[in-house]
Amino acid sequence: QVQLVESGGGLVQAGGSLRLSCAASGDAFNFYTMAWFRQAPGKEREREFVAVIDYGGGTRTADSVKGRFAISRDNAKKMVYLQMNSLKREDAAVYYCAAKVLTATTTPNEYLYWGQGTQVTVSP
């Protein structure tokens, strides 16, 4: 079992940067695929895929954030990061860290473990 805790959210001006962190606890972190999803205001039923990194370090990012966001992991520290640059108003959301075993996917329903989320607000 894996417990996930996100941090690093906050208020940032458009064009600015934030780095989100996800701390994991539990065994076998190295073998988990880790991902970031986000849920925008007014879209409580929709968790949008942002980025994923598999146990081998392979990554994939959503087209909407490609070139601006980057996911990384530190297996020794059991941490996953989301570096967000050139933030836009439409990036404002609650960002969630999620974990699953085996292959990397972009479908939130396939992820077994979730953190509580961290709020990102982008001002004009």
Side-chain angles (χ1 to χ4, degrees):
Q1 192 164 355
V2 176
Q3 292 81 43
L4 304 171
V5 178
E6 303 95 335
S7 61
L11 173 64
V12 64
Q13 279 192 320
S17 298
L18 278 177
R19 188 197 197 200
L20 304 184
S21 299
C22 174
S25 60
D27 296 328
F29 173 78
N30 295 18
F31 298 101
Y32 281 87
T33 284
M34 304 297 298
W36 288 95
F37 291 85
R38 66 186 181 186
Q39 197 162 358
K43 296 185 178 180
E44 283 74 20
R45 293 184 177 271
E46 301 176 32
R47 287 195 178 180
E48 177 190 9
F49 166 74
V50 177
V52 62
I53 185 166
D54 64 26
Y55 49 84
T59 64
R60 179 178 175 182
T61 52
D63 289 343
S64 59
V65 304
K66 195 163 292 183
R68 301 188 297 120
F69 291 13
I71 188 171
S72 60
R73 67 190 295 164
D74 185 331
N75 287 339
K77 296 181 179 179
K78 295 185 180 181
M79 295 291 294
V80 180
Y81 305 100
L82 185 68
Q83 179 66 44
M84 304 188 297
N85 300 325
S86 302
L87 281 159
K88 304 177 180 180
R89 295 291 304 280
E90 54 263 40
D91 294 320
V94 177
Y95 282 73
Y96 295 92
C97 178
K100 69 182 298 289
V101 296
L102 301 176
T103 57
T105 67
T106 63
T107 306
N109 290 346
E110 296 185 25
Y111 285 78
L112 186 58
Y113 304 109
W114 290 84
Q116 298 280 23
T118 184
Q119 178 74 51
V120 172
T121 304
V122 183
S123 65

